[in-house]
Amino acid sequence: MNTRMRRLLLPLLTAFAVVAAPMATPQTAKTSSASRKAHEQILKAYGVYADQGLQDYINELGQRIARRSTLPDAEWVFVVLDDDSINAFTTGCCFVYLHRGLLLHLNSEAELASVIGHEIAHVTQRHPQNRQTASIASSLLVLGTAVLTGSGALANLAGVATQLGMQGYGRENEMEADRVGLLFSTAAGYRPEAMAEVFEMFKRGERFEIDRARAEGRQPRGHHGLLSSHPAPNARAIQAAKASAKLEKGPPGGWIDNREAYLRRIDGMTYGSSRAQGLVRDNRFYHAELGITLAVPRGWTLDNQRDRLLAYTPTRDTFMQVTVEAVPPTQGPREFLYTKLKGATVRSTESFTANGMQGFTAVTSSGSPLDNGAGPVRWAVLYRGNSAYLFAGASRASARGVPEADGLFKSVVETLRGLKPAEFPLAEPFRVRIRTAEASTRLEDYAAAVPVERFQKEELQLINGLYPNGALKPGSLYKVVE
């Protein structure tokens, strides 16, 4: 399932509205202990994208813009996170995080510079508060260690789209970060109009979600009119930024855009889930690093989230969740599951073996998120090496004290097995590739390779900045997925 676009309208990278303002007075920087602690948890929860060349490129660009900020001597840290959502954020001095999903949707270095400038401005204008940073760290800690337990155990199962959401700083602070960040990126020589192009990227994503929701007969996800209430920078604001940087006519050699150089940098970048996160192909999940695969019934959706695997029926009346953690010392599968279900009413217990792995299963009399916690939940754990795979399943209906889909839940658990040698290539991620358009090039010719359920052509249009009706220009670079 495509999860990137449903997370498009995250508040930290809202649309840009720019009103020229004087540069702030130079400050002294002190790295926040809360930010350092949050940094550790963020890296643990998201993972660092495994491309050192790209990491070095982002850090070099970030340092260049930071030197033009009011905290030029601070110890800035710029990290690309292994996450495909369209987001960027900061927790305070002086950490800036970019999701690789955002990089996929940008189309020039100048656009990237405007995003980085925006996040740097949040720091220089002291928008992050200790209370908020501590809250982020706490949320990440919970995310990294939570295993659902008790009568409210499956609360997260009900929210298929539940993600760690970084809260924004409010409209006034976001607009201040827009205008101050534009000053920073412009002072570094980057074309200021690129900030408006980032805004247009968000607008295209919003339109895509609205159009797709209409076609699917549902309400748009994440659409709250944020962009309409936060206007794009106008020509007057852009000119004011140039004047503030004393570069009204542009720097020697012209404004920096670097479209081609940027696209070459992201050539080969992971599209969708990474190797470290595992891959969904049709109704089967593959994970090379764990060396496992499992399958769900055909027709179900497999949603590979950052910390769990969710599976559900088209009508969403049946859910299943899989998480993994280290096997505790001296605990067998039975003790492990009883520890997780402490406080719940447990019955129908059974030890079992599946594909050479020892397991234990039980039903709790309540906990289903589909009927306010009243319905039963099927639980199972399988030990494979040092990993414990924990399954939880619930249906909207139940019979004889077990979920209606109980037989299916058991069969899914039994599909977990080690990867065969021939299957390891199936666990390798899809990649973005950069091509040069010819007069005959059509994006729809590449649509079948895009690993989403529907709207493959529209996905390609979106990442190329061409949705809904744009066309490739002969000789221009464009993105495909392989």
Side-chain angles (χ1 to χ4, degrees), residues 85-262:
S85 59
I86 304 173
N87 197 18
F89 64 93
T90 178
T91 57
C93 189
C94 289
F95 298 89
V96 174
Y97 305 91
L98 302 168
H99 294 225
R100 59 174 166 82
L102 172 66
L103 302 183
L104 171 65
H105 284 79
L106 299 177
N107 283 287
S108 73
E109 189 173 283
E111 291 180 4
L112 175 58
S114 70
V115 171
I116 292 175
H118 176 91
E119 298 304 330
I120 289 173
H122 273 311
V123 177
T124 65
Q125 305 313 109
R126 302 178 180 177
H127 295 157
Q129 301 297 318
N130 288 336
R131 175 182 56 81
Q132 182 188 34
T133 301
S135 175
I136 290 172
S138 175
S139 297
L140 285 162
L141 181 62
V142 170
L143 175 68
T145 61
V147 175
L148 307 179
T149 57
S151 61
L154 286 165
N156 285 333
L157 262 181
V160 174
T162 297
Q163 299 291 333
L164 177 64
M166 301 295 183
Q167 297 301 309
Y169 303 101
R171 186 172 185 269
E172 182 178 344
N173 284 348
E174 291 293 344
M175 292 177 69
E176 182 179 36
D178 293 343
R179 66 178 182 261
V180 175
L182 182 59
L183 299 179
F184 296 159
S185 60
T186 303
Y190 285 95
R191 186 170 58 84
E193 290 84 0
M195 179 176 274
E197 291 157 12
V198 175
F199 176 92
E200 290 303 318
M201 179 269 289
F202 278 88
K203 290 284 285 186
R204 286 190 297 270
E206 181 184 55
R207 178 170 178 177
F208 174 59
E209 171 57 19
I210 293 171
D211 291 347
R212 186 171 63 175
R214 184 182 298 114
E216 295 174 345
R218 59 172 175 80
Q219 290 298 311
R221 287 185 285 261
H223 173 56
H224 304 290
L226 287 174
L227 300 184
S228 61
S229 65
H230 198 171
N234 57 29
R236 180 181 174 186
I238 290 171
Q239 187 59 35
K242 294 178 181 179
S244 179
K246 297 181 174 59
L247 293 171
E248 293 92 335
K249 296 181 180 180
W255 294 106
I256 301 171
D257 187 62
N258 283 357
R259 170 181 165 80
E260 180 172 345
Y262 175 77

Side-chain angles (χ1 to χ4, degrees), residues 34 61 68 212 309 327 334 420:
L61 177 59
R68 296 288 186 161
R212 186 171 63 175
L309 184 68
V327 171
R334 182 180 185 277
K420 300 174 182 178

Side-chain angles (χ1 to χ4, degrees), residues 1-5 208 212 271-272 280 430 447-460 481:
M1 179 180 180
N2 175 25
T3 60
R4 294 188 316 284
M5 293 315 304
F208 174 59
R212 186 171 63 175
Y271 178 95
V280 172
F430 293 90
V450 181
V452 294
E453 295 171 355
R454 300 176 63 189
F455 307 106
Q456 289 97 330
K457 182 185 77 172
E458 290 79 3
E459 282 280 339
L460 282 181
V481 178

